[in-house]
Amino acid sequence: KAGVTQTPRYLIKTRGQQVTLSCSPISGHRSVSWYQQTPGQGLQFLFEYFSETQRNKGNFPGRFSGRQFSNSRSEMNVSTLELGDSALYLCASRARPGETQYFGPGTRLLVL
Amino acid sequence: GEDVEQSLFLSVREGDSSVINCTYTDSSSTYLYWYKQEPGAGLQLLTYIFSNMDMKQDQRLTVLLNKKDKHLSLRIADTQTGDSAIYFCAEVSSNTGKLIFGQGTTLQVKP
């Protein structure tokens, strides 16, 4: 079975721009979660989607949003980018909430 | 609140055992996880333990859980240079089901 895939793997943007990251879960998995990893804050939960509905949301501003499609693929959008948004964004999938999460390789975003 | 704490750094010699420790706060957490992150990579699931277990062994990995003290440890036997990475402990929030991660322990293995 193929693992979680994320695209793009690397991205450079400038302040004020917006960005969309994509995540394809493991086949059969209907839950997708997003995490932000930075050296200062560590791994922080952004949100989780299950069957196209947002189940949980972390403490991030409204500039961070996401969605999930009927094929369980998910996208995350960050608008009006700030320098502090530079991070590794990790996506994780699981069959359903409560089960073990499997992570993708991440998208490294650099905001200049 | 929910919190997971780990020591930040551990250095061992190749062939020795490594023990990485973690404390957590959510006593209702059902599963506790260990993930490994190599430079530039995502998180790789190493192992997990269900909260009603005290110990789980998987090849070179041994997980010990002390529920009374909310203490979790990961022992790596015969540590190899390829084990050099950051190791994250995580608990599952009983309220939200999301993963709460520790800061990560950097394991350095010297030849």
Side-chain angles (χ1 to χ4, degrees):
Chain A
K1 233 184 210 183
V4 179
T5 57
Q6 292 187 243
T7 56
R9 292 294 312 278
Y10 304 93
L11 208 45
I12 299 175
K13 291 284 186 180
T14 55
R15 275 184 301 175
Q17 287 188 307
Q18 75 155 11
V19 68
T20 299
L21 311 182
S22 181
C23 171
S24 291
I26 292 170
S27 177
H29 285 191
R30 292 165 58 199
S31 165
V32 173
S33 297
W34 289 89
Y35 294 83
Q36 182 198 64
Q37 186 179 26
T38 59
Q41 300 298 317
L43 277 154
Q44 294 189 290
F45 172 78
L46 280 154
F47 26 66
E48 179 181 13
Y49 286 87
F50 177 68
S51 295
E52 302 177 66
T53 302
Q54 189 180 85
R55 279 193 80 244
N56 287 306
K57 192 176 187 314
N59 296 324
F60 279 82
R63 300 185 297 108
F64 292 81
S65 62
R67 58 178 175 166
Q68 187 180 32
F69 301 96
S70 58
N71 62 358
S72 296
R73 190 178 69 85
S74 176
E75 286 183 349
M76 191 192 97
N77 185 75
V78 189
S79 62
T80 322
L81 283 165
E82 300 177 0
L83 296 179
D85 297 333
S86 294
L88 179 66
Y89 289 88
L90 292 162
C91 165
S93 80
R94 51 185 168 181
R96 61 193 59 80
E99 300 203 357
T100 299
Q101 293 189 41
Y102 296 88
F103 283 79
T107 294
R108 189 164 293 280
L109 171 65
L110 178 61
V111 181
L112 301 175
Chain B
E2 299 159 332
D3 195 21
V4 178
E5 297 281 338
Q6 296 178 242
S7 52
L8 295 182
F9 187 77
L10 176 66
S11 180
V12 300
R13 292 228 170 261
E14 193 173 20
D16 288 349
S17 291
S18 309
V19 179
I20 302 171
N21 294 301
C22 167
T23 57
Y24 61 97
T25 55
D26 187 346
S27 56
S28 300
S29 192
T30 51
Y31 285 95
L32 294 139
Y33 294 88
W34 286 102
Y35 286 89
K36 175 184 179 183
Q37 186 176 39
E38 297 183 26
L43 297 179
Q44 174 195 349
L45 176 67
L46 274 182
T47 187
Y48 60 90
I49 189 166
F50 189 51
S51 60
N52 69 353
M53 297 169 68
D54 298 324
M55 185 183 90
K56 180 179 179 181
Q57 187 147 5
D58 184 1
Q59 299 182 337
R60 292 190 297 125
L61 305 178
T62 303
V63 179
L64 294 178
L65 175 60
N66 181 329
K67 234 186 142 178
K68 175 175 165 288
D69 295 337
K70 299 193 193 101
H71 182 266
L72 183 72
S73 67
L74 174 69
R75 179 177 179 268
I76 306 172
D78 186 25
T79 314
Q80 303 297 307
T81 53
D83 294 325
S84 294
I86 303 175
Y87 291 80
F88 290 92
C89 164
E91 65 172 354
V92 178
S93 166
S94 55
N95 289 329
T96 63
K98 68 184 185 186
L99 283 173
I100 310 294
F101 287 92
Q103 314 94 303
T105 300
T106 298
L107 175 64
Q108 179 190 66
V109 183
K110 297 179 182 175

